Amino acid sequence: MLIKTITKTVILKSRGSLTETINSFLYLLLEKNALKWLLAPVKDESGLVHPELLSREDDISRINTIAPLIPGENMGTTVSLLTRESPLKEKLGVILRPCESKALVELAKYRQISTENLYVIGVECYGTYHVLKYREMLEEGSNPSEEMLKFFLDRGGDGGFRSSCLVCLTPKPPYSDVNICYLTSWSAGEVVLEIKTDRGLELVKKLGYEAKRKATEGLLREILEERRKEREKFFADAKKELNGVDKLNEFFEECIGCHNCMEVCPICFCKECFFDSERYPYVTRKYLKWRLPEGTVLLPNSKLQFHIGRTIHMGFSCIHCGLCEQACPKEIPLYKFFGLTAERVQKLFNYHPGENLDEKPPIQEFREEEFQEVVG
Amino acid sequence: MAPDGLEKEKLGRLLKCVSCGKCLVECPVYSATKETRHLPLPKSRLFRHIFERTRGKVARLKGVQPIEEYVFKRAVPTLYECTLCGSCTEQCKFEVKPHELWYDFRHVMNALNKIPPALKEAREAIKNDYNPYGMNNETRMDWVDYLGLEEAPVKEKAKIAYFVGCTESFKSVAQDMAYSTALILNSLKLDWTFLGVEQWCCGGPSLMIGDVGTAKKLAEHNVNLIESRNVEVLVVTCATCYRFIKREYEELIGRKPKFKVMHGVELVLKLVEEGKIKLKQEGEVIGYHDPCELARLGGVIEEPRKILMQLSTNYVELGGDPGKGTCCGGGGFLQATNNEVRLKVAQVRVGQAKQRGVEVLVSACPSCKMSLIDGKREAGLNLQVKDIMELLAEKLNLI
Ligand code: SF4
Ligand code: SF4
Ligand code: SF4
């Protein structure tokens, strides 16, 4: 639970590389028994990162919290896997990017996550690469983390980030106990821990750190201003591109109906999606049978029905991680559609997914005075 | 206790998946049915669920958790309505090798005794009778009499042995393949032999069912039998036998067998190139269907094409790159699990051939032949389906 926002900071002086400096903090968390477990992105031999559960200090050096990549699963989903059925008995720290922490908040609201004994350690994020691009960068011998940092300082162009990252307005996780910040401070060789809750304060005190008052960050505010404009433009363009059934059908023309966009969506947490169930495809299947043996086809409107149905189900709580787009094997720029529909419905309800555990999703709350122009 | 087959090292690959979805695009079963449960990723997600609860993160945090019944219920159609064609693996750039995970998953399901009834039957048949059809193995060579094969050597020692797969031995549609191959071997006066009724199933079907123990036993028996006859070259005509003996036996028995494995097409092409077989071109439109186990997974791609191009002036590809074609639906025990699904996949494949004007659709595997025949019948399409060994025997005027 977010108890109250405390704005204190701890400064970590450089311990070599950025990762080493951040990891020195994580190391102490386990060594001083402040936490029993850490769920963190760990680097594999190919250079990609995957979430792993660690309990030994010796494993900390394998963690890479800044790798600009979400490899297939929003870690909010991973936390749900671990806490959905029963609360944790031992203290677990999870290291999350902003959109992962936001997913966690939404999932907690739908009772897919229990926050007991759960400590959220947020990491600042300026943007991530598409996993295929990330892999290409590794193959070309470049270092994605360094590229990301370089781009943060230079700006200009899009840096090759995923589209949802380019218009993201939360470089810091809004919900967390401690945020690891380095974007503006690392050029001066410092990592800043922002303490956000009493629990966060407790943690750093256990490590023997000294918490001071927080300083303001000019550069980040400036960047957010730019991004806000980008975001407006992005959705205005998307709206034009997707206006009307014909344009939507064109947009989804290549869709093979694999539902992978839904599978990776942290908000699509249902055990079985209606669109995968026996009940849904009944009518279309009949048509499909007639098409054999030339091979079956999906009828355009049946594809659209799935995507519209999906956005109706998860749009309120979409936390704009853009993983749907990364998961589309046909490389349809899906964030345009899911981001746009979500953004609009969230604005209508003045709802801010992922920011605060106490803000109820519109679908969980009835407000009599709402939409008088429609219902009145 | 975590179930057998869930070794952590092996399954590290499962966690490497980045959900890029590329493996979804070419799955032949999904392409034919458009039912999402047939896609590769629902399989790996269920498998991961089982893994996380018994050996992975959930188990580490909270102790081993029971697997919910719904997981098994869902796993049955998704995991077994799959032909194990390997298309998913072909598309994956992240070394997950999804279709190999399906073998591991089937191993786990078998260890938990959660496999579909038809597969249980086949598993027991292989264990007891040494063939998946539950036939008395003593009758393995009876086809020789039915078809009136005059020369059917079963020798103590020979340079070449012909390993007649269970399907070619027991299924009447496929017996022609064995007959044709024997005629070709006889006509060349080679020093060859059948392995006779002592031969057991190659073990591929056991692996597909997930019964690794039986697969090992069969492999050991067959290797000892073949080696005891001083065989240098083992000829096979079934794509599954080919890949399992050639690519899996070494791991199964823990050493390299002392003989070479050749598919019939490899042997024939060699003899053509040595001038011992002469082929003559005719005009029919011939198309070649790659058996997944032989081409995508076995690496034999050019050989059958070279032969067919010498048999016809009108050889056509069925679309796509050679060796990467759509599966016929015949693999992975799909026929036993859900024949309706298999027939859909088969119809798509035959439909592709028909669209390209194919008159004779040729393959090099008994399961493919059976699937393609069933598919054309189901779709009401008019074209001939033949195995390449039969076609060769015909063209060489042996039949
Ligand atoms: S991931 Fe892409 S292809 Fe698959 S259903 Fe979604 S939009 Fe369609
Ligand atoms: S192609 Fe490979 S990495 Fe991508 S989703 Fe499929 S199994 Fe996972
Ligand atoms: S092995 Fe073939 S049939 Fe099975 S999931 Fe992979 S692509 Fe689909």
Side-chain angles (χ1 to χ4, degrees):
Chain A
M1 271 289 284
L2 188 99
I3 296 154
K4 85 182 158 190
T5 305
I6 303 172
T7 43
K8 282 205 169 153
T9 57
V10 170
I11 310 283
L12 302 179
K13 292 275 177 229
S14 169
R15 296 287 203 95
S17 71
L18 176 53
T19 336
E20 282 164 332
T21 310
I22 295 173
N23 287 355
S24 70
F25 161 57
L26 304 176
Y27 185 91
L28 283 183
L29 285 173
L30 291 187
E31 197 208 39
K32 303 265 180 205
N33 268 323
L35 298 172
K36 177 84 188 359
W37 300 93
L38 274 178
L39 178 68
V42 164
K43 213 165 157 178
D44 70 13
E45 57 304 342
S46 67
L48 292 158
V49 287
H50 301 280
E52 256 189 52
L53 191 62
L54 308 174
S55 62
R56 300 180 322 150
E57 298 98 277
D58 300 352
D59 288 329
I60 296 292
S61 60
R62 292 164 53 224
I63 297 182
N64 184 345
T65 50
I66 59 161
L69 171 71
I70 301 184
E73 178 166 287
N74 182 308
M75 268 222 270
T77 307
T78 323
V79 177
S80 170
L81 173 81
L82 302 178
T83 67
R84 183 169 53 212
E85 283 165 72
S86 60
L88 295 162
K89 296 215 172 70
E90 295 167 321
K91 289 182 181 172
L92 167 71
V94 291
I95 297 173
L96 303 178
R97 300 180 171 281
C99 58
E100 294 179 316
S101 136
K102 292 205 269 183
L104 177 143
V105 169
E106 288 310 289
L107 288 167
K109 290 176 189 171
Y110 295 111
R111 301 208 181 95
Q112 299 301 308
I113 278 181
S114 149
T115 53
E116 224 177 295
N117 279 320
L118 189 71
Y119 288 76
V120 176
I121 299 166
V123 192
E124 254 184 357
C125 176
Y126 183 54
T128 59
Y129 299 104
H130 191 294
V131 63
L132 296 177
K133 165 145 182 127
Y134 196 96
R135 193 176 162 275
E136 247 168 52
M137 292 170 86
L138 291 174
E139 277 172 358
E140 286 162 3
S142 76
N143 178 332
S145 305
E146 274 168 22
E147 293 298 318
M148 176 268 293
L149 275 171
K150 223 192 296 159
F151 176 56
F152 174 77
L153 294 173
D154 302 349
R155 303 201 326 267
D158 63 12
F161 285 165
R162 298 189 300 121
S163 64
S164 53
C165 297
L166 288 171
V167 298
C168 169
L169 301 179
T170 48
K172 292 171 196 278
Y175 173 87
S176 61
D177 294 298
V178 177
N179 275 346
I180 300 173
C181 305
Y182 60 91
L183 285 171
T184 51
S185 64
W186 184 246
S187 47
E190 285 177 353
V191 169
V192 179
L193 301 181
E194 290 183 1
I195 319 300
K196 313 236 339 258
T197 61
D198 287 340
R199 292 168 22 136
L201 195 60
E202 229 174 84
L203 274 190
V204 297
K205 277 192 180 152
K206 267 198 194 147
L207 312 189
Y209 286 154
E210 197 193 331
K212 297 204 190 95
R213 283 197 64 81
K214 180 184 160 54
T216 51
E217 290 172 292
L219 180 56
L220 219 48
R221 211 177 304 136
E222 205 178 289
I223 289 172
L224 277 181
E225 227 13 83
E226 286 166 23
R227 282 219 172 145
R228 201 162 278 130
K229 281 186 213 134
E230 281 296 316
R231 189 175 179 94
E232 266 164 38
K233 182 168 178 301
F234 177 83
F235 286 132
D237 291 349
K239 195 176 158 197
K240 255 184 253 152
E241 192 185 329
L242 301 176
N243 207 354
V245 173
D246 290 343
K247 285 189 178 167
L248 281 171
N249 275 333
E250 199 183 309
F251 184 74
F252 285 113
E253 191 174 345
E254 288 287 306
C255 168
I256 57 165
C258 67
H259 297 185
N260 206 35
C261 44
M262 176 270 284
E263 291 278 2
V264 298
C265 173
I267 309 302
C268 282
F269 57 77
C270 297
K271 273 212 182 101
E272 184 174 28
C273 177
F274 170 72
F275 293 100
D276 284 336
S277 70
E278 286 296 318
R279 310 199 64 167
Y280 167 64
Y282 166 65
V283 182
T284 41
R285 267 185 208 159
K286 205 166 63 192
Y287 292 107
L288 296 182
K289 258 203 175 136
W290 296 338
R291 275 281 307 200
L292 283 167
E294 292 104 282
T296 52
V297 287
L298 284 168
L299 306 174
N301 286 340
S302 98
K303 295 188 217 177
L304 203 51
Q305 194 181 16
F306 164 69
H307 293 291
I308 291 178
R310 184 169 108 76
T311 193
I312 288 172
H313 288 185
M314 48 53 75
F316 297 108
S317 284
C318 165
I319 39 78
H320 299 265
C321 64
L323 277 190
C324 45
E325 182 167 316
Q326 175 170 286
C328 178
K330 302 306 283 184
E331 284 158 41
I332 301 172
L334 287 179
Y335 180 63
K336 278 187 199 169
F337 175 77
F338 289 115
L340 173 68
T341 46
E343 177 89 346
R344 295 192 72 198
V345 76
Q346 289 163 3
K347 282 226 162 98
L348 271 177
F349 285 93
N350 191 25
Y351 180 64
H352 311 87
E355 295 197 355
N356 181 341
L357 278 176
D358 301 324
E359 187 183 357
K360 280 204 172 146
I363 152 175
Q364 282 182 359
E365 194 178 44
F366 176 66
R367 290 191 205 139
E368 213 171 325
E369 71 285 7
E370 235 162 29
F371 295 109
Q372 284 307 312
E373 67 284 10
V374 184
V375 295
Chain B
M1 250 276 292
D4 188 22
L6 263 178
E7 286 79 24
K8 199 165 174 194
E9 313 70 53
K10 227 179 188 176
L11 296 176
R13 290 205 324 272
L14 182 58
L15 303 180
K16 280 198 170 172
C17 170
V18 296
S19 290
C20 71
K22 293 293 179 199
C23 56
L24 306 172
V25 182
E26 301 287 344
C27 172
V29 180
Y30 176 70
S31 301
T33 65
K34 292 291 188 287
E35 291 183 39
T36 45
R37 66 186 155 117
H38 290 143
L39 286 162
L41 282 173
K43 300 180 194 17
S44 43
R45 289 192 174 110
L46 279 173
F47 197 19
R48 184 180 154 208
H49 179 92
I50 297 176
F51 174 71
E52 295 282 19
R53 290 176 78 85
T54 51
R55 297 233 170 186
K57 300 185 198 64
V58 182
R60 288 181 62 209
L61 267 181
K62 298 180 163 175
V64 174
Q65 301 292 307
I67 308 301
E68 306 91 326
E69 258 322 295
Y70 87 88
V71 175
F72 295 123
K73 224 173 130 197
R74 210 177 282 173
V76 167
T78 182
L79 180 60
Y80 297 96
E81 290 176 11
C82 158
T83 64
L84 297 174
C85 72
S87 283
C88 41
T89 295
E90 189 168 57
Q91 306 298 325
C92 178
K93 293 196 173 80
F94 291 85
E95 276 146 47
V96 179
K97 301 189 186 149
H99 95 284
E100 290 185 17
L101 288 174
W102 314 157
Y103 277 92
D104 296 330
F105 196 175
R106 287 178 179 214
H107 180 178
V108 169
M109 292 287 278
N110 183 58
L112 296 168
N113 209 16
K114 296 284 182 191
I115 67 176
L119 264 59
K120 266 186 207 166
E121 262 172 49
R123 179 187 67 194
E124 295 311 307
I126 304 174
K127 245 195 234 164
N128 301 327
D129 306 312
Y130 313 122
N131 67 74
Y133 300 111
M135 302 293 283
N136 180 344
N137 209 49
E138 293 294 318
T139 65
R140 184 175 266 277
M141 295 289 289
D142 285 8
W143 64 270
V144 169
D145 291 335
Y146 302 154
L147 299 189
L149 179 67
E150 281 163 16
E151 248 180 279
V154 182
K155 303 189 204 159
E156 283 299 313
K157 310 266 173 223
K159 247 189 168 152
I160 297 175
Y162 175 27
F163 187 96
V164 188
C166 300
T167 309
E168 299 106 304
S169 302
F170 294 113
K171 288 280 165 184
S172 50
V173 225
Q175 284 166 348
D176 292 343
M177 294 171 56
Y179 180 68
S180 307
T181 309
L183 291 180
I184 295 171
L185 294 170
N186 281 338
S187 74
L188 293 163
K189 311 248 171 309
L190 296 168
D191 173 22
W192 77 279
T193 178
F194 282 119
L195 293 168
V197 296
E198 280 173 72
Q199 180 196 317
W200 290 356
C201 169
C202 70
S206 295
L207 277 190
M208 288 176 187
I209 294 169
D211 184 1
V212 182
T214 302
K216 276 201 173 108
K217 191 174 136 196
L218 298 169
E220 269 156 17
H221 169 89
N222 284 330
V223 170
N224 290 338
L225 175 71
I226 298 160
E227 288 178 348
S228 74
R229 301 204 180 170
N230 285 10
V231 171
E232 287 166 27
V233 176
L234 186 74
V235 176
V236 293
T237 46
C238 166
T240 302
C241 299
Y242 175 81
R243 188 176 74 84
F244 279 90
I245 300 177
K246 187 156 179 161
R247 302 264 165 113
E248 304 287 340
Y249 267 27
E250 189 175 340
E251 201 192 314
L252 282 172
I253 66 168
R255 69 174 175 87
K256 221 178 156 58
K258 292 193 199 103
F259 48 87
K260 196 174 158 190
V261 184
M262 282 179 113
H263 189 281
V265 292
E266 293 178 291
L267 181 72
V268 169
L269 183 66
K270 187 170 162 268
L271 295 168
V272 168
E273 284 171 351
E274 286 169 3
K276 295 187 180 131
I277 296 180
K278 299 237 172 333
L279 301 176
K280 187 165 104 255
Q281 273 187 324
E282 286 172 48
E284 307 134 293
V285 184
I286 293 184
Y288 177 67
H289 164 78
D290 279 303
C292 301
E293 298 277 13
L294 187 63
R296 191 182 349 264
L297 304 168
V300 179
I301 296 166
E302 285 308 316
E303 292 81 349
R305 289 177 168 75
K306 283 190 183 153
I307 294 173
L308 293 173
M309 281 180 210
Q310 295 196 36
L311 286 177
S312 168
T313 47
N314 276 316
Y315 170 77
V316 293
E317 285 292 333
L318 302 186
D321 290 341
K324 301 198 167 171
T326 319
C327 174
C328 66
F333 268 98
L334 177 56
Q335 182 172 16
T337 316
N338 190 336
N339 194 37
E340 223 177 280
V341 170
R342 166 180 168 263
L343 290 175
K344 283 187 190 170
V345 182
Q347 286 180 73
V348 171
R349 190 52 168 163
V350 182
Q352 289 169 349
K354 191 70 195 172
Q355 269 174 12
R356 285 170 178 82
V358 169
E359 292 162 358
V360 189
L361 179 54
V362 179
S363 188
C365 172
S367 296
C368 297
K369 183 186 174 192
M370 287 173 12
S371 259
L372 297 171
I373 288 178
D374 291 350
K376 83 164 190 176
R377 198 175 294 146
E378 195 73 10
L381 292 176
N382 176 22
L383 80 179
Q384 291 181 54
V385 173
K386 271 188 196 146
D387 186 83
I388 193 160
M389 301 312 282
E390 292 168 81
L391 186 74
L392 279 163
E394 261 175 50
K395 299 286 177 186
L396 296 169
N397 295 322
L398 300 171
I399 299 183

